Amino acid sequence: MATKKKKITEDDIIEMYMDYVLENETFPKSIYKFSKENKFKEEEFYLFYGSLEALQKGIWEKFYSNSIKVMNNNDEYSSFSNKDKMLTFFYTFFELLTLNRSYVLFALKAEKNPLKNLAQLKGVRTHLKNFAKELIDQGNGNKISKLTKQNPQLYSEWAWLQFLFILKFWINDDSPGFEKTDMAIEKSVNTIFDVFDNTPLENIVDFGKFLYKETFA
């Protein structure tokens, strides 16, 4: 009796794609060749992604969604302060990146133009900014005075710059267990929350420019 072929899933495609990239040290040239080599129909690919570029972005969005899932599975997470929630996100996300470090490093260095490599992070940027906005909105809801309320839009942009700063740090980190990245996460998150709680808006913008310069220097 013939066995029914297992239906391919989004996770299957992502796993096959990452394996292909690492084994061949290049991205697939076409969906046709990629699907044929992995013995599934090209039309099955299109059930999840419209292009190989969309798949690249989808991998990063999967890193994000899996991080959020892990965080929410922690029964204590909902009682965390906003700062601890942001710390938990960065720790979780970069731990997941570390589990897939070989692929991530290749993907982020594939093009000579760094901006082209960062294009695959577009979806993560949107999700992270929304996550940061939600944290600030929750914090503002508990404040009576308008003077003590924080700007969600400004903080979301700051959170994205912070992410890029930590990402660059992690890429270059050669410490055992990437312990220096953990320290960078803790110091940067603590500093940013201190800055937003105690620093005038003008100083925040100036510090943001400095962070941007250090990230892309």
Side-chain angles (χ1 to χ4, degrees):
M1 182 181 295
T3 58
K4 188 175 181 181
K5 184 181 177 182
K6 177 187 173 184
K7 188 174 182 180
I8 196 168
T9 67
E10 181 182 19
D11 287 341
D12 290 333
I13 290 179
I14 287 176
E15 182 179 357
M16 288 186 289
Y17 182 84
M18 294 173 70
D19 285 343
Y20 179 99
V21 169
L22 293 175
E23 290 175 3
N24 295 279
E25 297 183 341
T26 187
F27 292 123
K29 302 302 183 200
S30 70
I31 296 172
Y32 171 78
K33 288 185 177 181
F34 171 63
S35 57
K36 184 176 182 180
E37 182 164 323
N38 286 281
K39 298 179 173 57
F40 68 90
K41 295 181 180 180
E42 182 176 354
E43 62 194 61
E44 293 180 278
F45 180 95
Y46 297 117
L47 293 174
F48 306 100
Y49 300 104
S51 67
L52 291 171
E53 291 75 15
L55 171 55
Q56 288 181 17
K57 295 176 182 176
I59 290 173
W60 283 90
E61 293 192 57
K62 182 67 72 170
F63 289 155
Y64 178 87
S65 62
N66 285 346
S67 297
I68 296 297
K69 186 183 299 182
V70 169
M71 290 159 54
N72 288 329
N73 283 340
N74 183 344
D75 294 335
E76 298 179 358
Y77 174 74
S78 60
S79 63
F80 287 177
S81 67
N82 287 339
K83 181 169 72 173
D84 285 339
K85 285 181 178 179
M86 185 58 80
L87 277 169
T88 301
F89 168 76
F90 279 126
Y91 285 140
T92 306
F93 190 89
F94 280 92
E95 183 177 348
L96 189 56
L97 289 193
T98 298
L99 293 176
N100 298 277
R101 185 173 172 86
S102 294
Y103 170 81
V104 172
L105 291 183
F106 182 88
L108 291 175
K109 297 179 178 179
E111 299 284 347
K112 291 183 179 180
N113 185 343
L115 292 179
K116 287 187 177 181
N117 294 321
L118 290 178
Q120 62 195 291
L121 303 181
K122 185 177 180 179
V124 171
R125 180 177 186 271
T126 299
H127 292 310
L128 176 57
K129 289 180 64 177
N130 287 336
F131 175 70
K133 285 180 183 177
E134 289 175 6
L135 291 184
I136 295 304
D137 283 336
Q138 290 172 9
N140 286 341
N142 298 323
K143 296 178 180 179
I144 299 176
S145 173
K146 291 183 178 180
L147 295 176
T148 60
K149 291 185 177 182
Q150 299 165 343
N151 185 320
Q153 184 63 40
L154 181 62
Y155 180 75
S156 69
E157 293 291 349
W158 188 286
W160 173 243
L161 284 176
Q162 183 182 20
F163 171 82
L164 293 178
F165 170 78
I166 298 172
L167 180 62
K168 182 181 179 183
F169 194 99
W170 175 81
I171 289 172
N172 297 318
D173 188 5
D174 59 1
S175 63
F178 304 99
E179 57 188 24
K180 289 185 179 179
T181 295
D182 288 341
M183 291 173 60
I185 290 172
E186 181 180 6
K187 288 177 183 276
S188 65
V189 171
N190 285 338
T191 298
I192 284 181
F193 271 85
D194 287 344
V195 165
F196 267 80
D197 285 337
N198 304 299
T199 308
L201 181 61
E202 295 78 12
N203 292 356
I204 293 176
V205 173
D206 287 341
F207 191 57
K209 291 178 180 178
F210 168 78
L211 187 61
Y212 183 87
K213 180 180 178 181
E214 289 298 307
T215 300
F216 292 102

